Amino acid sequence: MVEYRIDRRSGVATYVQIVHQTKQALRLGLLEPGDKLPTAREVVEATAINPNTVLKAYRELEREGLVEARRGLGTFVRKSLGATPVDSPLRAELDAWAVRARETGLERDDAAALFTSVLDEHFTKDQRDQRDQRDQRDQKDQGDEA
């Protein structure tokens, strides 16, 4: 069961936070197809938000095909996004990295900025490399046809 945490100072809309946290739980394998999401009432009791906000988040997840509402039964996960289970060795390495970052005096936002910077560099680079490889194949194919 996912437990939503709402950060009212984040500047991120509450329903977006619920959508994001649900997707994160799907990616980490904490939610799997067939699992039931907490009812709007349960989320409201735990977070003190408007029930319409929960329903808006669930509608967004349903629109994306991730969950489905079953009349009188609740909202259920339709598909997983998971490729990285929560007990992955990568998580253990990240955990150790976070400990080292904290020991060196980095604040949470500093560590997050550093991590995001590295992610952007590598994933942007991967996407650029894939595009370059595709362009090279296209040029080679055009050269073969001529």
Side-chain angles (χ1 to χ4, degrees):
M1 178 76 73
V2 63
E3 293 181 20
Y4 297 110
R5 289 169 279 123
I6 305 303
D7 182 356
R8 289 173 171 72
R9 295 180 295 162
S10 69
V12 176
T14 304
Y15 89 95
V16 172
Q17 291 182 48
I18 292 172
V19 169
H20 176 76
Q21 289 174 30
T22 303
K23 287 180 176 179
Q24 188 170 7
L26 291 169
R27 284 189 177 90
L28 295 174
L30 299 173
L31 285 174
E32 297 180 350
D35 286 349
K36 183 180 178 184
L37 294 182
T39 65
R41 177 180 292 172
E42 290 169 334
V43 177
V44 167
E45 288 174 4
T47 61
I49 61 174
N50 187 312
N52 290 329
T53 302
V54 180
L55 297 174
K56 183 176 181 179
Y58 284 9
R59 280 194 303 271
E60 177 64 20
L61 291 163
E62 191 171 8
R63 189 188 64 74
E64 294 183 24
L66 298 173
V67 302
E68 65 180 331
R70 297 180 191 161
R71 186 173 289 213
L73 298 175
T75 303
F76 293 83
V77 174
R78 287 188 66 196
K79 69 178 190 180
S80 175
L81 296 173
T84 308
V86 74
D87 59 351
S88 161
L90 287 174
R91 190 190 190 294
E93 291 177 29
L94 279 172
D95 187 59
W97 180 86
V99 168
R100 287 196 316 271
R102 190 171 185 179
E103 287 172 352
T104 62
L106 290 180
E107 295 291 329
R108 186 183 195 284
D109 289 343
D110 298 331
L114 183 59
F115 183 72
T116 301
S117 167
V118 171
L119 281 179
D120 289 347
E121 179 183 320
H122 286 278
F123 283 92
T124 302
K125 181 181 180 311
D126 287 346
Q127 292 168 351
R128 190 174 43 240
D129 289 348
Q130 289 174 355
R131 188 177 54 240
D132 289 346
Q133 289 173 356
R134 190 173 47 244
D135 290 346
Q136 288 173 355
R137 277 195 309 265
D138 289 346
Q139 288 175 352
K140 183 177 182 257
D141 290 344
Q142 289 174 354
D144 290 344
E145 291 175 3

